[in-house]
Amino acid sequence: MSQKGDIGVIGLAVMGQNLILNMNDHGFKVVAYNRTTSKVDEFLQGAAQGTNIIGAYSLEDLASKLEKPRKVMLMVRAGEVVDQFIDALLPHLEEGDIIIDGGNSNYPDTNRRVEALREKGIRFIGTGVSGGEEGARHGPSVMPGGNEEAWQFVKPILQGIAAKTEQGEPCCDWVGKDGAGHFVKMVHNGIEYGDMQLICEAYQFLKEGVGLSDDELEATFNEWRKTELDSYLIDITADILGYKDTDGTRLVDKILDTAGQKGTGKWTGINALDFGIPLTLITESVFARCVSAFKDQRVAASQLFHKTIGKVEGDKKVWIEAVRKALLASKIISYAQGFMLIREASENFNWNINYGNTALLWREGCIIRSRFLGNIRDAYEANPDLIFLGSDAYFKGILENAMSDWRKVVAKSVEAGIPMPCMASAITFLDGYTSARLPANLLQAQRDYFGAHTYERTDKPRGEFFHTNWTGRGGNTASTTYDV
Ligand code: NBP
């Protein structure tokens, strides 16, 4: 072999194979390896036939076929397998070589790996890759973070294969040090959960409440493609709603109503709780999947409670428009919450994440790609310190314009007995966030009553704490240890 490989990829499942083919299309020479080495031959004789892709049959073989500094990308199952491959690779690598983990790793693992490998002279990148098979093959959204020294070496490859915006900008840029890339990918997945659940709530309300026919539903989603809701998930929903089974009826109606999950939505919710960020919508969307999984319990409870859904009376067209506005407004809240979480992590870990750039990374290539992300990018470019996305003039305008319809839809869903956890949580969040005064005065009084947790007073400066002996039986000592 005359010329050495630009990059090695380990893992020849759906993501690995397609990323390799994408790299090859962009002129990079790729060395492919897989634990089960028969898959290397299958790949070379199958999808990779006629390309410049080279096979490797051991990690030593892989390392020997790579240009230095070596760049090795792992596209294997996240978790222990990544650590196993790192350990197995180390004897074959030299100082300055680069390992890229492109799987869905949990960011604390990436934080740990960057540090551990830095000590060994190996530069580690943890990158989110989104867009599934199609994205991997023709342009994914790529969210790299980790050891910054490595970025210059992998940038041409990762930006080369990434999706591009209409203006030709790659949906791939440096996110930040350590696990920043994987954190942003995790939030991306959480947002995906929220977007999907919001669409499902709109679908159920219109189908079972308003009583739209299959054709009307399909037409509605096709119309929404032409609005600010224009996005990949609305596109595929329109397609799914139109898809007919062999007997001519809609296939979607025959699909069992239990949703699976792989954990990244849950991780997002757990991190929101850890960071103290009210990521209500995404967390509700994870719980909605949990409720859906209780199929047998739900069937039994529906009989026990004689559950029916009330009819939503009124002009169908008026309801469709109200639901569209409620969906759009709720989506703004979801992204606003997601960016609050990213900001909190960025400040906490000193990642220095550029929020406008993050929106750009998701603009194309990934599952949440949408026109809307272009507006988010504009909002953060205009004001990088924007704390709440809904305060940006464009988004504030949409929220205000949607407000009365949004309330009407959520109120009607409660009246009709149609579950709407995400749209309801979105408006509830906004009501709380825009309330200058909340009932937490009473809450803090309760805490002080039973646990002597103290309170601040509206008629005294912030930072002065008071304790009251509410019953006359307690002492005057405040608690420093009892936390509720
Ligand atoms: P999988 O997540 O199914 O992983 C398959 C690869 O992992 C194969 O190369 C397999 O080798 C290897 N592997 C496994 Br499984 N167990 C192993 C072990 N104990 N030791 C060594 N190798 C092992 O592949 P994927 O769906 O292509 O995803 C790759 C990564 O990208 C994952 O982290 C995934 O979460 C992430 N991701 C996937 C998607 C998607 O749409 N699928 C999208 C975005 C990100 P073998 O062939 O020898 O079994």
Side-chain angles (χ1 to χ4, degrees):
M1 187 181 68
S2 53
Q3 196 206 336
K4 292 211 170 193
D6 298 303
I7 184 166
V9 176
I10 297 177
L12 296 181
V14 58
M15 293 300 284
Q17 286 202 18
N18 283 292
L19 281 178
I20 293 171
L21 292 168
N22 186 351
M23 288 171 183
N24 178 75
D25 285 351
H26 285 86
F28 300 105
K29 201 171 178 98
V30 190
V31 186
Y33 173 76
N34 194 70
R35 170 185 64 164
T36 309
T37 48
S38 57
K39 289 192 187 161
V40 177
D41 287 324
E42 281 166 31
F43 180 51
L44 293 179
Q45 285 151 23
Q49 206 169 39
T51 66
N52 290 324
I53 298 162
I54 311 162
Y57 297 88
S58 68
L59 293 177
E60 188 181 6
D61 187 24
L62 173 80
S64 72
K65 288 175 171 163
L66 290 174
E67 199 74 64
K68 294 178 189 176
R70 298 179 183 86
K71 296 169 260 336
V72 181
M73 184 163 189
L74 298 169
M75 286 309 300
V76 294
R77 180 189 290 173
E80 268 177 34
V81 178
V82 173
D83 286 316
Q84 287 163 9
F85 267 116
I86 291 173
D87 289 344
L89 267 169
L90 283 177
H92 308 291
L93 299 182
E94 289 167 36
E95 194 166 338
D97 284 350
I98 297 162
I99 300 177
I100 308 145
D101 170 21
N104 268 343
S105 293
N106 200 359
Y107 80 94
D109 287 337
T110 309
N111 284 345
R112 167 177 60 78
R113 288 168 185 149
V114 171
E115 228 20 71
L117 287 169
R118 194 194 306 277
E119 283 167 18
K120 295 182 161 64
I122 303 296
R123 299 180 280 199
F124 187 78
I125 286 183
T127 183
V129 178
S130 177
E133 178 176 3
E134 179 75 10
R137 181 67 188 88
H138 299 292
S141 157
V142 187
M143 297 152 254
N147 187 327
E148 194 147 16
E149 287 171 26
W151 176 228
Q152 59 174 309
F153 297 101
V154 301
K155 186 177 173 181
I157 303 177
L158 294 185
Q159 289 197 336
I161 62 165
K164 309 287 182 304
T165 65
E166 272 176 15
Q167 290 72 36
E169 300 157 298
C171 294
C172 168
D173 205 352
W174 189 249
V175 177
K177 64 184 169 106
D178 303 332
H182 274 137
F183 190 91
V184 162
K185 170 68 179 6
M186 177 192 74
V187 177
H188 159 284
N189 283 26
I191 287 176
E192 184 180 310
Y193 273 59
D195 279 359
M196 291 167 80
Q197 175 64 23
L198 284 173
I199 290 173
C200 290
E201 289 175 14
Y203 156 75
Q204 189 181 16
F205 185 87
L206 291 174
K207 183 181 169 75
E208 297 180 31
V210 181
L212 295 196
S213 68
D214 291 337
D215 286 344
E216 287 170 327
L217 272 172
E218 183 188 349
T220 298
F221 276 84
N222 271 320
E223 274 305 306
W224 288 357
R225 283 172 147 164
K226 300 173 204 152
T227 71
E228 300 102 317
L229 285 173
D230 173 25
S231 61
Y232 172 73
L233 283 169
I234 292 287
D235 283 357
I236 66 163
T237 303
D239 286 352
I240 290 167
L241 292 174
Y243 194 90
K244 294 192 177 121
D245 202 2
T246 41
D247 62 2
T249 62
R250 298 302 207 272
L251 176 61
V252 69
D253 292 329
K254 295 184 184 159
I255 294 178
L256 192 73
D257 54 328
T258 62
Q261 50 180 314
K262 281 194 169 170
T264 42
K266 180 181 82 178
W267 292 351
T268 318
I270 291 171
N271 274 281
L273 288 169
D274 282 344
F275 283 114
I277 295 296
L279 193 88
T280 57
L281 192 147
I282 291 173
T283 313
E284 282 289 359
S285 72
V286 178
F287 291 142
R289 290 197 192 190
C290 299
V291 175
S292 83
F294 294 160
K295 176 72 178 175
D296 293 344
Q297 292 182 46
R298 286 191 287 115
V299 170
S302 74
Q303 288 158 359
L304 189 65
F305 283 82
H306 306 291
K307 174 69 193 284
T308 53
I309 282 184
K311 177 123 184 59
V312 175
E313 305 289 352
D315 186 332
K316 284 182 181 176
K317 282 211 176 90
V318 172
W319 276 116
I320 290 171
E321 181 56 7
V323 172
R324 187 190 71 78
K325 286 181 173 175
L327 176 50
L328 182 60
S330 302
K331 187 170 160 167
I332 292 171
I333 297 300
S334 180
Y335 283 67
Q337 294 178 342
F339 275 92
M340 280 176 164
L341 179 58
I342 292 176
R343 173 184 295 276
E344 188 64 26
S346 179
E347 288 176 358
N348 187 67
F349 292 114
N350 289 320
W351 284 338
N352 211 10
I353 292 178
N354 178 317
Y355 310 115
N357 244 9
T358 303
L360 172 69
L361 303 186
W362 301 340
R363 177 69 187 82
E364 298 291 343
C366 62
I367 307 299
I368 63 169
R369 62 183 180 260
S370 65
R371 198 201 293 183
F372 180 85
L373 279 158
N375 302 112
I376 297 185
R377 186 198 188 191
D378 293 345
Y380 280 109
E381 287 212 327
N383 178 10
D385 297 324
L386 185 68
I387 289 176
F388 173 55
L389 186 65
S391 321
D392 168 78
Y394 172 77
F395 291 110
K396 179 170 171 275
I398 296 179
L399 291 174
E400 284 175 338
N401 176 263
M403 198 69 78
S404 83
D405 283 314
W406 191 7
R407 290 191 192 286
K408 204 171 76 181
V409 168
V410 172
K412 186 52 85 175
S413 78
V414 174
E415 212 179 297
I418 301 167
M420 204 170 252
C422 285
M423 286 196 199
S425 78
I427 190 118
T428 298
F429 168 82
L430 189 62
D431 280 335
Y433 191 75
T434 53
S435 290
R437 186 157 170 88
L438 286 170
N441 51 330
L442 175 57
L443 200 143
Q444 196 59 19
Q446 292 166 336
R447 295 183 73 234
D448 189 56
Y449 187 110
F450 64 71
H453 290 299
T454 74
Y455 54 86
E456 293 170 273
R457 295 180 60 105
T458 54
D459 53 359
K460 298 282 182 192
R462 291 294 308 261
E464 263 189 67
F465 291 88
F466 300 86
H467 169 57
T468 294
N469 181 354
W470 295 89
T471 59
R473 295 188 301 276
N476 290 317
T477 314
S479 166
T480 51
T481 52
Y482 178 60
D483 292 321
V484 175

PDB file of all heavy atoms in Angstrom, residues 59-61 63-64 70 83-95 97 99 117 120 122:
ATOM      1  N   LEU A  59      -5.987  -4.386  15.675  1.00  0.00           N
ATOM      2  CA  LEU A  59      -5.731  -2.978  16.009  1.00  0.00           C
ATOM      3  C   LEU A  59      -4.310  -2.586  15.624  1.00  0.00           C
ATOM      4  O   LEU A  59      -4.044  -1.448  15.238  1.00  0.00           O
ATOM      5  CB  LEU A  59      -5.989  -2.746  17.503  1.00  0.00           C
ATOM      6  CG  LEU A  59      -7.459  -2.906  17.906  1.00  0.00           C
ATOM      7  CD1 LEU A  59      -7.631  -2.723  19.412  1.00  0.00           C
ATOM      8  CD2 LEU A  59      -8.356  -1.926  17.154  1.00  0.00           C
ATOM      9  N   GLU A  60      -3.393  -3.549  15.688  1.00  0.00           N
ATOM     10  CA  GLU A  60      -2.008  -3.295  15.283  1.00  0.00           C
ATOM     11  C   GLU A  60      -1.968  -2.969  13.784  1.00  0.00           C
ATOM     12  O   GLU A  60      -1.314  -2.019  13.355  1.00  0.00           O
ATOM     13  CB  GLU A  60      -1.178  -4.547  15.586  1.00  0.00           C
ATOM     14  CG  GLU A  60       0.292  -4.345  15.388  1.00  0.00           C
ATOM     15  CD  GLU A  60       1.071  -5.638  15.675  1.00  0.00           C
ATOM     16  OE1 GLU A  60       0.446  -6.688  15.917  1.00  0.00           O
ATOM     17  OE2 GLU A  60       2.305  -5.560  15.645  1.00  0.00           O
ATOM     18  N   ASP A  61      -2.688  -3.795  13.024  1.00  0.00           N
ATOM     19  CA  ASP A  61      -2.789  -3.601  11.582  1.00  0.00           C
ATOM     20  C   ASP A  61      -3.384  -2.219  11.282  1.00  0.00           C
ATOM     21  O   ASP A  61      -2.868  -1.463  10.444  1.00  0.00           O
ATOM     22  CB  ASP A  61      -3.700  -4.722  11.030  1.00  0.00           C
ATOM     23  CG  ASP A  61      -3.771  -4.751   9.526  1.00  0.00           C
ATOM     24  OD1 ASP A  61      -2.817  -4.251   8.879  1.00  0.00           O
ATOM     25  OD2 ASP A  61      -4.775  -5.279   8.990  1.00  0.00           O
ATOM     26  N   ALA A  63      -3.381   0.488  13.216  1.00  0.00           N
ATOM     27  CA  ALA A  63      -2.443   1.559  13.580  1.00  0.00           C
ATOM     28  C   ALA A  63      -1.336   1.688  12.541  1.00  0.00           C
ATOM     29  O   ALA A  63      -0.909   2.806  12.201  1.00  0.00           O
ATOM     30  CB  ALA A  63      -1.858   1.287  14.961  1.00  0.00           C
ATOM     31  N   SER A  64      -0.887   0.545  12.004  1.00  0.00           N
ATOM     32  CA  SER A  64       0.235   0.581  11.052  1.00  0.00           C
ATOM     33  C   SER A  64      -0.189   1.201   9.714  1.00  0.00           C
ATOM     34  O   SER A  64       0.658   1.618   8.937  1.00  0.00           O
ATOM     35  CB  SER A  64       0.769  -0.833  10.823  1.00  0.00           C
ATOM     36  OG  SER A  64      -0.162  -1.553  10.043  1.00  0.00           O
ATOM     37  N   ARG A  70      -1.982   9.660  14.279  1.00  0.00           N
ATOM     38  CA  ARG A  70      -3.080   8.756  13.915  1.00  0.00           C
ATOM     39  C   ARG A  70      -4.399   9.296  14.440  1.00  0.00           C
ATOM     40  O   ARG A  70      -4.462   9.861  15.528  1.00  0.00           O
ATOM     41  CB  ARG A  70      -2.841   7.369  14.501  1.00  0.00           C
ATOM     42  CG  ARG A  70      -1.591   6.702  14.003  1.00  0.00           C
ATOM     43  CD  ARG A  70      -1.453   5.347  14.667  1.00  0.00           C
ATOM     44  NE  ARG A  70      -0.223   4.684  14.280  1.00  0.00           N
ATOM     45  CZ  ARG A  70       0.946   4.888  14.903  1.00  0.00           C
ATOM     46  NH1 ARG A  70       1.020   5.697  15.939  1.00  0.00           N
ATOM     47  NH2 ARG A  70       2.024   4.253  14.498  1.00  0.00           N
ATOM     48  N   ASP A  83     -14.328   2.021  26.510  1.00  0.00           N
ATOM     49  CA  ASP A  83     -13.135   1.911  27.371  1.00  0.00           C
ATOM     50  C   ASP A  83     -12.282   0.711  26.962  1.00  0.00           C
ATOM     51  O   ASP A  83     -11.053   0.795  26.949  1.00  0.00           O
ATOM     52  CB  ASP A  83     -13.557   1.785  28.837  1.00  0.00           C
ATOM     53  CG  ASP A  83     -14.063   3.117  29.381  1.00  0.00           C
ATOM     54  OD1 ASP A  83     -13.424   4.141  29.101  1.00  0.00           O
ATOM     55  OD2 ASP A  83     -15.106   3.123  30.052  1.00  0.00           O
ATOM     56  N   GLN A  84     -12.948  -0.389  26.627  1.00  0.00           N
ATOM     57  CA  GLN A  84     -12.189  -1.588  26.221  1.00  0.00           C
ATOM     58  C   GLN A  84     -11.356  -1.297  24.968  1.00  0.00           C
ATOM     59  O   GLN A  84     -10.193  -1.674  24.885  1.00  0.00           O
ATOM     60  CB  GLN A  84     -13.140  -2.758  25.959  1.00  0.00           C
ATOM     61  CG  GLN A  84     -13.723  -3.358  27.238  1.00  0.00           C
ATOM     62  CD  GLN A  84     -14.956  -4.222  26.966  1.00  0.00           C
ATOM     63  OE1 GLN A  84     -15.287  -4.521  25.823  1.00  0.00           O
ATOM     64  NE2 GLN A  84     -15.639  -4.611  28.034  1.00  0.00           N
ATOM     65  N   PHE A  85     -11.980  -0.606  24.005  1.00  0.00           N
ATOM     66  CA  PHE A  85     -11.234  -0.300  22.780  1.00  0.00           C
ATOM     67  C   PHE A  85     -10.087   0.679  23.052  1.00  0.00           C
ATOM     68  O   PHE A  85      -9.006   0.549  22.489  1.00  0.00           O
ATOM     69  CB  PHE A  85     -12.152   0.242  21.686  1.00  0.00           C
ATOM     70  CG  PHE A  85     -12.658  -0.847  20.776  1.00  0.00           C
ATOM     71  CD1 PHE A  85     -13.994  -1.155  20.716  1.00  0.00           C
ATOM     72  CD2 PHE A  85     -11.778  -1.574  19.990  1.00  0.00           C
ATOM     73  CE1 PHE A  85     -14.456  -2.176  19.893  1.00  0.00           C
ATOM     74  CE2 PHE A  85     -12.222  -2.603  19.153  1.00  0.00           C
ATOM     75  CZ  PHE A  85     -13.570  -2.896  19.117  1.00  0.00           C
ATOM     76  N   ILE A  86     -10.348   1.648  23.925  1.00  0.00           N
ATOM     77  CA  ILE A  86      -9.270   2.611  24.244  1.00  0.00           C
ATOM     78  C   ILE A  86      -8.080   1.845  24.842  1.00  0.00           C
ATOM     79  O   ILE A  86      -6.937   2.015  24.415  1.00  0.00           O
ATOM     80  CB  ILE A  86      -9.784   3.699  25.221  1.00  0.00           C
ATOM     81  CG1 ILE A  86     -10.789   4.597  24.505  1.00  0.00           C
ATOM     82  CG2 ILE A  86      -8.614   4.516  25.782  1.00  0.00           C
ATOM     83  CD1 ILE A  86     -11.492   5.597  25.411  1.00  0.00           C
ATOM     84  N   ASP A  87      -8.365   0.971  25.809  1.00  0.00           N
ATOM     85  CA  ASP A  87      -7.280   0.208  26.445  1.00  0.00           C
ATOM     86  C   ASP A  87      -6.543  -0.649  25.431  1.00  0.00           C
ATOM     87  O   ASP A  87      -5.316  -0.747  25.455  1.00  0.00           O
ATOM     88  CB  ASP A  87      -7.847  -0.692  27.561  1.00  0.00           C
ATOM     89  CG  ASP A  87      -8.307   0.136  28.751  1.00  0.00           C
ATOM     90  OD1 ASP A  87      -7.911   1.311  28.838  1.00  0.00           O
ATOM     91  OD2 ASP A  87      -9.090  -0.390  29.577  1.00  0.00           O
ATOM     92  N   ALA A  88      -7.305  -1.277  24.539  1.00  0.00           N
ATOM     93  CA  ALA A  88      -6.678  -2.171  23.552  1.00  0.00           C
ATOM     94  C   ALA A  88      -5.886  -1.395  22.503  1.00  0.00           C
ATOM     95  O   ALA A  88      -4.895  -1.889  21.954  1.00  0.00           O
ATOM     96  CB  ALA A  88      -7.760  -3.018  22.879  1.00  0.00           C
ATOM     97  N   LEU A  89      -6.312  -0.160  22.247  1.00  0.00           N
ATOM     98  CA  LEU A  89      -5.623   0.648  21.229  1.00  0.00           C
ATOM     99  C   LEU A  89      -4.301   1.215  21.735  1.00  0.00           C
ATOM    100  O   LEU A  89      -3.336   1.352  20.970  1.00  0.00           O
ATOM    101  CB  LEU A  89      -6.517   1.836  20.840  1.00  0.00           C
ATOM    102  CG  LEU A  89      -7.450   1.682  19.647  1.00  0.00           C
ATOM    103  CD1 LEU A  89      -8.415   2.877  19.618  1.00  0.00           C
ATOM    104  CD2 LEU A  89      -6.679   1.615  18.325  1.00  0.00           C
ATOM    105  N   LEU A  90      -4.276   1.569  23.023  1.00  0.00           N
ATOM    106  CA  LEU A  90      -3.135   2.321  23.564  1.00  0.00           C
ATOM    107  C   LEU A  90      -1.764   1.745  23.217  1.00  0.00           C
ATOM    108  O   LEU A  90      -0.864   2.502  22.828  1.00  0.00           O
ATOM    109  CB  LEU A  90      -3.286   2.503  25.080  1.00  0.00           C
ATOM    110  CG  LEU A  90      -4.295   3.585  25.495  1.00  0.00           C
ATOM    111  CD1 LEU A  90      -4.430   3.657  27.013  1.00  0.00           C
ATOM    112  CD2 LEU A  90      -3.895   4.945  24.933  1.00  0.00           C
ATOM    113  N   PRO A  91      -1.565   0.418  23.327  1.00  0.00           N
ATOM    114  CA  PRO A  91      -0.230  -0.103  23.007  1.00  0.00           C
ATOM    115  C   PRO A  91       0.191   0.154  21.559  1.00  0.00           C
ATOM    116  O   PRO A  91       1.381   0.091  21.236  1.00  0.00           O
ATOM    117  CB  PRO A  91      -0.364  -1.616  23.253  1.00  0.00           C
ATOM    118  CG  PRO A  91      -1.587  -1.779  24.079  1.00  0.00           C
ATOM    119  CD  PRO A  91      -2.478  -0.642  23.769  1.00  0.00           C
ATOM    120  N   HIS A  92      -0.771   0.454  20.700  1.00  0.00           N
ATOM    121  CA  HIS A  92      -0.451   0.639  19.272  1.00  0.00           C
ATOM    122  C   HIS A  92      -0.391   2.107  18.870  1.00  0.00           C
ATOM    123  O   HIS A  92      -0.187   2.428  17.708  1.00  0.00           O
ATOM    124  CB  HIS A  92      -1.499  -0.087  18.422  1.00  0.00           C
ATOM    125  CG  HIS A  92      -1.696  -1.510  18.824  1.00  0.00           C
ATOM    126  ND1 HIS A  92      -0.740  -2.477  18.636  1.00  0.00           N
ATOM    127  CD2 HIS A  92      -2.722  -2.112  19.478  1.00  0.00           C
ATOM    128  CE1 HIS A  92      -1.173  -3.625  19.132  1.00  0.00           C
ATOM    129  NE2 HIS A  92      -2.373  -3.435  19.646  1.00  0.00           N
ATOM    130  N   LEU A  93      -0.605   2.994  19.838  1.00  0.00           N
ATOM    131  CA  LEU A  93      -0.609   4.427  19.522  1.00  0.00           C
ATOM    132  C   LEU A  93       0.629   5.116  20.090  1.00  0.00           C
ATOM    133  O   LEU A  93       1.304   4.568  20.961  1.00  0.00           O
ATOM    134  CB  LEU A  93      -1.871   5.099  20.090  1.00  0.00           C
ATOM    135  CG  LEU A  93      -3.210   4.574  19.564  1.00  0.00           C
ATOM    136  CD1 LEU A  93      -4.366   5.364  20.164  1.00  0.00           C
ATOM    137  CD2 LEU A  93      -3.284   4.620  18.035  1.00  0.00           C
ATOM    138  N   GLU A  94       0.903   6.321  19.576  1.00  0.00           N
ATOM    139  CA  GLU A  94       2.045   7.097  20.058  1.00  0.00           C
ATOM    140  C   GLU A  94       1.551   8.436  20.574  1.00  0.00           C
ATOM    141  O   GLU A  94       0.436   8.861  20.251  1.00  0.00           O
ATOM    142  CB  GLU A  94       3.004   7.396  18.892  1.00  0.00           C
ATOM    143  CG  GLU A  94       3.746   6.209  18.394  1.00  0.00           C
ATOM    144  CD  GLU A  94       4.410   6.527  17.056  1.00  0.00           C
ATOM    145  OE1 GLU A  94       4.875   7.667  16.870  1.00  0.00           O
ATOM    146  OE2 GLU A  94       4.440   5.619  16.213  1.00  0.00           O
ATOM    147  N   GLU A  95       2.431   9.105  21.299  1.00  0.00           N
ATOM    148  CA  GLU A  95       2.095  10.412  21.846  1.00  0.00           C
ATOM    149  C   GLU A  95       1.595  11.328  20.717  1.00  0.00           C
ATOM    150  O   GLU A  95       2.191  11.368  19.639  1.00  0.00           O
ATOM    151  CB  GLU A  95       3.338  11.024  22.498  1.00  0.00           C
ATOM    152  CG  GLU A  95       2.963  12.185  23.347  1.00  0.00           C
ATOM    153  CD  GLU A  95       4.092  12.613  24.275  1.00  0.00           C
ATOM    154  OE1 GLU A  95       4.974  11.782  24.561  1.00  0.00           O
ATOM    155  OE2 GLU A  95       4.068  13.782  24.681  1.00  0.00           O
ATOM    156  N   ASP A  97      -1.244  11.028  19.115  1.00  0.00           N
ATOM    157  CA  ASP A  97      -2.310  10.395  18.335  1.00  0.00           C
ATOM    158  C   ASP A  97      -3.674  10.782  18.917  1.00  0.00           C
ATOM    159  O   ASP A  97      -3.772  11.218  20.074  1.00  0.00           O
ATOM    160  CB  ASP A  97      -2.151   8.870  18.332  1.00  0.00           C
ATOM    161  CG  ASP A  97      -1.021   8.414  17.399  1.00  0.00           C
ATOM    162  OD1 ASP A  97      -0.513   9.258  16.631  1.00  0.00           O
ATOM    163  OD2 ASP A  97      -0.646   7.222  17.449  1.00  0.00           O
ATOM    164  N   ILE A  99      -7.831   9.869  19.476  1.00  0.00           N
ATOM    165  CA  ILE A  99      -8.976   8.936  19.475  1.00  0.00           C
ATOM    166  C   ILE A  99     -10.242   9.779  19.499  1.00  0.00           C
ATOM    167  O   ILE A  99     -10.351  10.733  20.282  1.00  0.00           O
ATOM    168  CB  ILE A  99      -8.962   8.001  20.707  1.00  0.00           C
ATOM    169  CG1 ILE A  99      -7.686   7.156  20.735  1.00  0.00           C
ATOM    170  CG2 ILE A  99     -10.196   7.096  20.707  1.00  0.00           C
ATOM    171  CD1 ILE A  99      -7.571   6.244  21.969  1.00  0.00           C
ATOM    172  N   LEU A 117      -6.614  10.218  29.145  1.00  0.00           N
ATOM    173  CA  LEU A 117      -5.776  10.047  27.954  1.00  0.00           C
ATOM    174  C   LEU A 117      -4.782  11.196  27.800  1.00  0.00           C
ATOM    175  O   LEU A 117      -3.683  10.999  27.287  1.00  0.00           O
ATOM    176  CB  LEU A 117      -6.651   9.893  26.712  1.00  0.00           C
ATOM    177  CG  LEU A 117      -7.342   8.526  26.669  1.00  0.00           C
ATOM    178  CD1 LEU A 117      -8.401   8.464  25.587  1.00  0.00           C
ATOM    179  CD2 LEU A 117      -6.315   7.414  26.432  1.00  0.00           C
ATOM    180  N   LYS A 120      -1.692  10.378  29.269  1.00  0.00           N
ATOM    181  CA  LYS A 120      -0.915   9.386  28.506  1.00  0.00           C
ATOM    182  C   LYS A 120      -0.417   9.963  27.179  1.00  0.00           C
ATOM    183  O   LYS A 120       0.119   9.227  26.337  1.00  0.00           O
ATOM    184  CB  LYS A 120      -1.777   8.150  28.230  1.00  0.00           C
ATOM    185  CG  LYS A 120      -2.156   7.392  29.502  1.00  0.00           C
ATOM    186  CD  LYS A 120      -2.965   6.147  29.132  1.00  0.00           C
ATOM    187  CE  LYS A 120      -3.005   5.108  30.214  1.00  0.00           C
ATOM    188  NZ  LYS A 120      -3.664   5.461  31.451  1.00  0.00           N
ATOM    189  N   ILE A 122      -2.270  11.048  24.750  1.00  0.00           N
ATOM    190  CA  ILE A 122      -3.219  10.790  23.658  1.00  0.00           C
ATOM    191  C   ILE A 122      -4.317  11.840  23.711  1.00  0.00           C
ATOM    192  O   ILE A 122      -4.839  12.160  24.778  1.00  0.00           O
ATOM    193  CB  ILE A 122      -3.845   9.376  23.780  1.00  0.00           C
ATOM    194  CG1 ILE A 122      -2.755   8.298  23.797  1.00  0.00           C
ATOM    195  CG2 ILE A 122      -4.869   9.122  22.686  1.00  0.00           C
ATOM    196  CD1 ILE A 122      -1.937   8.183  22.534  1.00  0.00           C
TER     197      ILE A 122
END
